[in-house]
Amino acid sequence: MTEHTIDRLKWIMARLRDPETGCPWDVEQNFASIAPYTIEEAYEVADAIEAGDMEALKDELGDLLLQVIFHSQMADERRVFDFDDVTETISDKMVRRHPHVFEDEHVGDAEAQTRAWEETKARERKARAADDPDHSALDGVAKGLPALLRALKLQKRAARVGFDWPGAEGALAKLREEIDELSQEVRRPGADKEKLADELGDVLFSVVNLARKLGMDPEAALRHGNAKFERRFRIMERRLKSAGRDLNGAGLDEMEAEWRQAKAAE
């Protein structure tokens, strides 16, 4: 089989998973062991997009697609579903959630479409939960999501039922409150690690909430912060090297002085 189609990729994965003639590593994998790679590949797609590297994006999208094929193959081996079931499910979902495209419903703009999308998802969740006495407004927020993204999704779910600050000021005040509580715990003699982690988690959760109220993506803001730190750190390194200094030999005061120079240069 040499065609460049999805069938070729499915065939390759089936061969890799063959218990007799396949790759020992691929054969040994299961859903749990592959899940971290799936997450990693999604982030590498995002990196390629941020870098504007279309060749890398093509490559990374292939890696991400392979993850879907891998999970589908393992499910097929258990006779629970296969890749065609995956594509049928997502196709049905996309048609169902876009009645303004596939039916006669009208949506004015992208913002209205976002609201309609969320309303459709809410109806689907309500239908699934009709016979569930333990149903919660927070159901369906995957526990395997990165913590920053999961915090944002939990907050959005809570906001839909009215559990939310009316504006950014309330979220900012809550952040200050959580920072104060963390400060008190840090200053406490023999501070308990679990309590510190608890208070730090509250601060981080509050930061995400403030970002949401400001209409900002906390992940994008943190990625920007990471890039800024890396850029300034590298400038600091170069300045020290040009002065014949090494990071390991430079003290904190010297590095801080160079950091301020790097910051000022921007």
Side-chain angles (χ1 to χ4, degrees):
M1 182 178 293
T2 59
E3 313 90 58
H4 296 287
T5 65
I6 196 69
D7 288 333
R8 182 181 181 222
L9 187 55
K10 290 161 60 178
W11 175 80
I12 290 170
M13 180 52 66
R15 285 290 306 275
L16 290 172
R17 289 278 299 175
D18 188 291
E20 300 297 328
T21 61
C23 169
W25 186 90
D26 290 276
V27 172
E28 289 177 3
Q29 303 312 305
N30 55 45
F31 294 111
S33 67
I34 288 299
Y37 296 100
T38 308
I39 296 169
E40 180 181 338
E41 296 299 351
Y43 276 110
E44 290 183 359
V45 166
D47 284 343
I49 292 171
E50 186 171 337
D53 189 336
M54 292 298 103
E55 190 64 28
L57 178 58
K58 178 182 68 175
D59 186 60
E60 297 301 346
L61 284 172
D63 290 343
L64 185 58
L65 176 58
L66 179 65
Q67 296 299 306
V68 178
I69 295 291
F70 208 140
H71 286 287
S72 299
Q73 174 63 31
M74 291 188 290
D76 190 19
E77 291 163 6
R78 297 187 183 188
R79 300 292 187 268
V80 288
F81 64 82
D82 61 16
F83 182 78
D84 291 341
D85 294 322
V86 173
T87 58
E88 181 180 6
T89 299
I90 188 57
S91 295
D92 290 346
K93 183 186 295 184
M94 295 305 289
V95 170
R96 185 172 64 249
R97 291 184 177 178
H98 292 82
H100 59 293
V101 175
F102 300 103
E103 297 177 17
D104 296 329
E105 186 173 315
H106 174 72
V107 174
D109 54 23
E111 184 177 350
Q113 164 55 20
T114 299
R115 289 196 300 270
W117 176 278
E118 294 299 338
E119 289 168 2
T120 300
K121 290 200 295 183
R123 287 194 296 270
E124 291 173 1
R125 287 193 297 270
K126 185 176 181 180
R128 289 195 298 268
D131 299 321
D132 183 4
D134 296 323
H135 169 67
S136 166
L138 302 180
D139 284 351
V141 181
K143 291 181 172 60
L145 289 171
L148 198 67
L149 178 56
R150 189 162 194 267
L152 181 62
K153 287 184 174 290
L154 287 171
Q155 292 165 9
K156 286 182 176 179
R157 286 289 185 86
R160 285 186 206 141
V161 295
F163 191 69
D164 195 15
W165 299 106
E169 283 299 323
L172 182 58
K174 183 62 175 176
L175 175 58
R176 292 193 185 104
E177 175 188 324
E178 297 297 353
I179 291 174
D180 287 342
E181 291 181 6
L182 175 61
S183 297
Q184 292 173 18
E185 192 61 34
V186 169
R187 291 192 298 266
R188 193 189 308 278
D192 180 79
K193 289 290 185 182
E194 280 192 26
K195 182 62 175 174
L196 281 171
D198 185 60
E199 297 295 350
L200 183 57
D202 290 343
V203 169
L204 294 172
F205 192 86
S206 296
V207 168
V208 173
N209 206 23
L210 176 60
R212 182 179 62 86
K213 296 305 294 183
L214 291 172
M216 302 175 66
D217 178 358
E219 176 69 22
L222 184 55
R223 287 172 71 89
H224 178 75
N226 289 343
K228 182 167 62 175
F229 175 84
E230 183 176 6
R231 183 174 65 250
R232 290 175 178 175
F233 191 91
R234 290 179 182 276
I235 292 172
M236 179 188 71
E237 279 184 307
R238 289 196 296 270
R239 289 178 62 89
L240 285 169
K241 286 179 182 178
S242 66
R245 302 286 289 155
D246 182 79
L247 281 179
N248 293 324
L252 179 58
D253 289 343
E254 187 176 2
M255 285 191 286
E256 179 66 22
E258 294 295 347
W259 176 272
R260 291 198 187 97
Q261 290 292 328
K263 182 177 179 180
E266 293 185 339

